[in-house]
Every structure is written in structure tokens, then in C-alpha cells.
Amino acid sequence: WFSVSPDLVVDARRDLTAIGCHVPVLDGCKSLDAAAQKAFGGDTRSRAVLFSTYATLVSAAGARAQNRLDQLVAWCGGAAFSGCLVFDEAHKAKNFDAKKEDASTKVSRAVKLLQSKLPLARVVYASATGVSEITNMAYAERLGLWGPGTPFADFKAFAATLEKRGVGALELLALELKSSGAYVSRGLAWTRCEFEGMHCPLGAAQRRDYDVMAAWWRALHRALDYALKRTNAKGGTARSRFWGAQLRFFKEVQTACKVPFVVSKAKDALAAGQSVVVGLQSTGEAGPGGGP
């Protein structure tokens, strides 16, 4: 079971217990040496779930001759392993460049290598933004969309064909995966849910701060125009980066301005005996660098 944070091992144990799976959950590769204790009359190393992070997957194993990936494969029992590999937050492996593998991230290469070393393993990919672009699917080779027995020799041929066909081909791909049972996408029911939009007024100090920040960005824009004229540059890339940075900046400013209002409403709800959940929603695709 791979995920992004070691703290999520608690959630893994909870979720497994909730579905009646009471096998031990080993917390990372460092616990393998201590996994020789008995459970259910046998060795925990063969009757357990090993929880690991992607960072651990690509790390060295210290003084051991093996790296962590080889250590995991050995623990599974090698190529004969027919258990399950769960890649939670699987989009961590999306940055695999099929045209130039050396340019791919360590995580994406490790995820693909692990699947090749365990060819009989069942694989689950779990992600909210796993295929925001077709090129992000390279790690999901167990879907059976390319390779022997398919119309596409490799992922490069698969991606090139779908990119040429556009959005319509992507919709057909989703339908194909769902009809074959390889793709499950579900949402929570909104039954008995209530929604209320609230107006968050700005105080005088916040308005002054906003005006000062807006004036600073106007001055920066004038400086950019002057620099482009002096250098006789077209400025396409520079202007694009300028407006992108400005958009991200004011998005964070607006979020910060709402904090006092949210805190006040949260305190009122707690005083009324209610539970409060505060969500700051973002995804890997929303980051300045295009994701992790």
C-alpha cells in the first residue's frame, strides 16, 4: 500500500478494519526486520499489509545491499507474488516521459519497475487527478490498454493516437474502462445536505492593504512594459508568467482575507455544539509547477 505520507498508515489500518480485514499493517520498510513476530499462527511477513510512502520506494536501504524497491520485491516473494499493489494518490507517478525515460521522475520510474518485477500482482490505482492529461497514464500499464494483445505496441503509440482524436476519444476511453470494470468513479450522495453562501465583508484595513497590493502590481506591470521596450522583446512568455503570478497572488490574498470570517463562524458553530470541517481545496494540477 503506497501513499504520500507516513501518517496515513493510521487511515490504512482503520479502513482495512472497517471492511473486516484484520491482518497486521506494517509501518514502512524499517518495520520489516521486526516483522518476524507471529500472527494468526504464522509469520507476519507473509500475512500482512506493508504500508510505504513513495519517498521510501525510491530511497536507498542504508547499509543494506538492496535498495528499498528490491527489498519490497523480496518481501513479496518475487515474481510469483499474486497479491495486491495499491497505489494511493497514484498521480505521484504521472510524470513519466515515454519518449525520454531519463527525464522521468524517480517515483514514476520506480512505480513502473515495481509492476514489472511483480507481473502477477493485482494493481489498484487510486487518484482524483490521475489522468488530467493522456500522457499522465504511462504508469497505469496494468489497465491493458497497450502492449501485447492490444492495438497499440506501446504507450507512445497509444498516447499519440488518443491525442490526435481529441476529447471524443478520451470520453470513449472512459466508457471502455467503466464497461470493463477497470474504472470506478463514484461521488458522495448529497441527500439531506444543505448549502448556504455567505458574504464575507472586508474591513477597512483589508481594503487599504488590497489597494496597496494592486498599486504594486500596476507599478510592476509598467516596469515590465518598459523593460520589454528597452530590450525590443516580444514578451509573450514574460507577460504570461506575469499574469499567472498575479492570479496566484490575489487568489492567496482572497483566501487570507476570508480567514477571520471563517474563524468567527467556526467558533459560533462550536459554541452551538456543532462540528466544524474547514477545507482549502486544491489539487496537484493547480500548482504553479503543474503538479507534484
Side-chain angles (χ1 to χ4, degrees), residues 211-226:
D211 290 342
V212 170
M213 289 182 280
W216 184 87
W217 279 98
R218 285 197 298 271
L220 185 60
H221 186 243
R222 289 194 294 268
L224 175 62
D225 285 339
Y226 177 75

Side-chain angles (χ1 to χ4, degrees), residues 181-199:
Y183 174 49
V184 177
S185 178
R186 296 174 179 172
L188 298 176
W190 298 108
T191 306
R192 300 177 61 185
C193 291
E194 297 179 0
F195 300 87
E196 180 184 359
M198 295 185 178
H199 178 67

Side-chain angles (χ1 to χ4, degrees), residues 160-170:
T161 301
L162 264 68
E163 286 175 343
K164 290 179 181 178
R165 302 300 190 274
V167 177
L170 298 179

